[in-house]
Amino acid sequence: MDIKQAKQDIRLGKTTLGIELGSTRIKAVLIGSDHAPIASGSHDWENRLENGIWTYRLEDAWTGIQDCYRKLCEKVQAKYEEELTSFAAIGFSAMMHGYLPFDSEGNLLTPFRTWRNTMTEEAAAQLTDLFGFNIPQRWSIAHLQQAILNGEPHVAKIAHLTTLAGYIHWKLTGVNALGVGEASGMFPIGKDGEYNREMLEKFDALHADKAFHWKVEEILPKVLSAGEDAGSLTAEGALLLDPTGTLQPGIPLCPPEGDAGTGMTATNAVAVRTGNVSAGTSIFSMVVLEHQLSKVYPEIDMVTTPTGKPVAMVHCNNCTSDINAWAEMLIGFAKRVGLTCSMPQVLDAIFFAALDGKPDCGGIQTVNYFSGEPVTGLAEGRPLLVRSPDADFSFENLSRAHLYAAVATLKTGMDILTEKEHVTIDTLMGHGGFFKAEGVGQKLMAGALSTPVSVMETAGEGGPWGIALLAAYRVWKQPGETLEDYLANHVFAGAKATTAQPEKKDQDGFAAYMNGFRSALEVEKAAVHFC
């Protein structure tokens, strides 16, 4: 879009705004009438480990959102000489799952328990058995059940329970609702697109003797499909987003979604036989199914697209954190020898060096677990490096080992889909920091997963662009137009993508690495107890 058209879109309110609260960054993306990004703003933040719980403080969320939005406004003013006062629609998304319980006065009853916690093993196993449906540890209902098992007094005071995206949306609109994709990470969704009725009844029956003042359906957010009315920005909400008072209330909001749903949208992976991989602090794949799986697998989550189609999700807590830690160490080394280099420079060096590493990493083995990993049964994580005495300990081989470790746990779940359930995947669309070094992450992932991996030119925009697209669909769709058709016809019709096909040497090399990775997990389990 040229500057003249962008200025007109801004002036006439023909833009939509998407803001996503990721695990390390809050980012806003403004798109015009052609759905292309015209400005962005961002704010870095970090989770905290407090009293053994991974959390974010909600005041930090608001500080970050306001800073992110302010930076967006400044960029729009500098580039287009226009002031942002309104939008056609707004959308908010955030990290899926977690636990945010509130009382009847809107007070948070416990610190936010994020997806990264692995403290609900007992509850998750109990509910999986009760429902006959895999309930992962990070799901909201698992956190609620564990709080009940722990006898936590706050449970009796709960008036509503939500996720981070749902909380932000509620404060801005007064509407306690979630998009169906995000809701499917709180409680299982039935074929009708609502919470599974039979499972709701089973949960309430399990706790009938406790005389809670609530039934579980009463405290869960309302479920909405993409394109449905999710309320409008209130006057109080407008000031929360923009304390200057410039932003006007009354703007429609789309249903809030999780980063999984926005990633699917941003990669046009919402139709059957499509899939995407989001690879950053965590890594997860989403594959839209033609049919339900034949059995329950603890490694596979069953969630939905933003319109309620069944999706098999393999979610792993750890991906690039260990790569980033090594990069920070290398920056420190460079400083010691009188050199100056930036984080992007070092990360590029690691990624491109990996291409020159031996396919099997030359006898180097890494485990990248900063936190627990339910897919492989680890309650805690300890980043690990193991090598044989005769290993080829080169920078190139170590770099390749780090990139392999980032996808090794995902491989475990993906093999279940392709080998046991014979799920057909035409291609996987990649997005996230793992794919920033052009051609590297997707090449190695294609070999690791034995599946073509594509990356679009827009992959760098990621989830914030995805939620901006869902906001656009909320107000610009034609009657009866599905999300799949809207994306295909109006957003991705001319999109360019690069595709990496799996190469045999990479497949064989990764298979050898995986044998070592599985053995190293025994060392990882031992390390948790002494380190």
Side-chain angles (χ1 to χ4, degrees):
M1 178 181 290
D2 61 34
I3 289 182
K4 182 179 179 181
Q5 183 60 54
K7 286 169 66 74
Q8 183 173 320
D9 281 355
I10 294 167
R11 192 178 306 120
L12 299 178
K14 291 184 177 181
T15 61
T16 67
L17 173 67
I19 298 181
E20 182 163 282
L21 291 85
S23 55
T24 60
R25 184 174 63 161
I26 301 171
K27 184 176 180 182
V29 169
L30 183 68
I31 67 174
S33 56
D34 65 351
H35 302 92
I38 57 179
S40 65
S42 66
H43 173 89
D44 293 336
W45 73 332
E46 290 288 345
N47 55 189
R48 306 164 183 259
L49 185 61
E50 296 181 346
N51 300 316
I53 295 175
W54 290 104
T55 187
Y56 296 84
R57 294 177 182 171
L58 296 187
E59 57 266 33
D60 292 343
W62 289 114
T63 299
I65 289 171
Q66 291 168 1
D67 182 53
C68 176
Y69 181 77
R70 178 184 58 79
K71 290 175 180 175
L72 172 75
C73 292
E74 289 173 351
K75 289 184 179 180
V76 168
Q77 181 66 50
K79 185 173 182 178
Y80 303 107
E81 298 180 331
E82 294 288 343
E83 186 175 58
L84 289 174
T85 61
S86 190
F87 310 97
I90 303 174
F92 278 85
S93 60
M95 301 163 281
M96 286 185 76
H97 316 117
Y99 186 68
L100 280 165
F102 294 88
D103 66 17
S104 59
E105 297 180 352
N107 299 308
L108 182 64
L109 294 171
T110 70
F112 174 31
R113 299 172 183 176
T114 78
W115 57 270
R116 198 167 195 173
N117 290 288
T118 51
M119 55 196 288
T120 64
E121 182 177 8
E122 181 184 4
Q126 187 178 34
L127 292 180
T128 296
D129 183 62
L130 178 68
F131 295 159
F133 184 99
N134 183 39
I135 302 296
Q137 288 199 52
R138 65 188 175 279
W139 279 26
S140 305
I141 194 62
H143 279 281
L144 174 60
Q145 175 67 6
Q146 192 66 55
I148 294 172
L149 293 176
N150 294 345
E152 297 183 41
H154 79 266
V155 171
K157 303 175 185 177
I158 295 176
H160 82 264
L161 178 64
T162 190
T163 65
L164 184 57
Y167 163 72
I168 300 297
H169 184 90
W170 168 57
K171 294 295 286 186
L172 295 179
T173 65
V175 176
N176 184 24
L178 286 178
V180 61
E182 173 77 333
S184 69
M186 291 196 76
F187 195 94
I189 299 294
K191 293 180 179 179
D192 61 356
E194 301 289 342
Y195 297 118
N196 186 291
R197 174 61 50 190
E198 181 182 358
M199 295 180 193
L200 290 170
E201 292 173 354
K202 285 183 176 180
F203 187 88
D204 287 332
L206 182 65
H207 301 297
D209 62 333
K210 298 179 179 64
F212 293 136
H213 71 86
W214 48 262
K215 292 186 179 298
V216 66
E217 185 176 18
E218 297 170 352
I219 63 173
L220 292 173
K222 181 181 179 182
V223 181
L224 298 174
S225 184
E228 289 194 279
D229 183 358
S232 299
L233 187 67
T234 62
E236 295 82 4
L239 286 172
L240 268 177
L241 183 55
D242 177 20
T244 70
T246 305
L247 183 62
Q248 300 302 302
I251 302 167
L253 268 73
C254 69
E257 269 295 348
D259 50 2
T262 60
M264 298 176 78
T265 304
T267 54
N268 196 25
V270 295
V272 295
R273 295 177 59 146
T274 64
N276 79 97
V277 176
S278 174
T281 303
S282 64
I283 184 169
F284 56 84
S285 62
M286 307 281 289
V287 179
V288 187
L289 301 177
E290 297 177 274
H291 53 77
Q292 295 286 347
L293 301 182
S294 64
K295 58 180 287 189
V296 174
Y297 296 95
E299 301 89 351
I300 308 293
D301 304 1
M302 290 303 302
V303 292
T304 79
T305 69
T307 56
K309 285 186 170 62
V311 172
M313 180 183 191
V314 181
H315 186 286
C316 311
N317 286 352
N318 300 277
C319 184
T320 59
S321 293
D322 199 28
I323 298 173
N324 293 338
W326 277 84
E328 292 281 7
M329 183 274 293
L330 290 171
I331 290 172
F333 169 77
K335 185 177 180 181
R336 281 284 180 177
V337 296
L339 300 175
T340 301
C341 51
S342 67
M343 189 71 164
Q345 286 176 313
V346 176
L347 288 172
D348 276 353
I350 291 172
F351 273 73
F352 287 111
L355 292 179
D356 297 324
K358 292 181 178 179
D360 65 353
C361 304
I364 299 172
Q365 192 66 59
T366 55
V367 178
N368 64 328
Y369 292 177
F370 262 59
S371 61
E373 193 59 80
V375 171
T376 50
L378 271 294
E380 296 181 46
R382 298 292 186 272
L384 183 69
L385 168 63
V386 179
R387 58 190 173 97
S388 59
D390 61 347
D392 185 354
F393 192 49
S394 68
F395 178 61
E396 291 77 12
N397 287 340
L398 179 60
S399 296
R400 195 176 185 103
H402 283 314
L403 268 63
Y404 273 178
V407 299
T409 307
L410 181 72
K411 172 72 171 174
T412 303
M414 291 296 289
D415 281 351
I416 292 172
L417 295 179
T418 57
E419 296 176 9
K420 293 184 179 181
E421 290 291 329
H422 308 292
V423 171
T424 300
I425 308 170
D426 293 334
T427 188
L428 284 171
M429 304 301 299
H431 64 107
F434 187 77
F435 301 101
K436 281 186 177 179
E438 185 175 354
V440 181
Q442 67 182 121
K443 177 186 186 314
L444 296 184
M445 185 177 287
L449 302 183
S450 298
T451 301
V453 176
S454 299
V455 176
M456 292 184 179
E457 288 182 343
T458 52
E461 302 299 340
W465 184 52
I467 193 64
L469 294 178
L470 290 173
Y473 178 67
R474 160 76 180 84
V475 291
W476 292 338
K477 68 181 183 301
Q478 297 300 311
E481 188 174 27
T482 65
L483 178 62
E484 294 88 335
D485 288 343
Y486 185 87
L487 294 176
N489 297 332
H490 304 295
V491 181
F492 294 102
K496 297 179 181 179
T498 59
T499 301
Q501 299 291 336
E503 297 181 17
K504 189 175 188 306
K505 67 175 183 178
D506 292 334
Q507 291 172 286
D508 292 344
F510 187 80
Y513 176 87
M514 275 300 294
N515 288 333
F517 184 87
R518 295 186 185 99
S519 298
L521 289 179
E522 295 303 314
V523 183
E524 176 78 6
K525 292 174 183 176
V528 167
H529 297 293
F530 69 78
C531 177

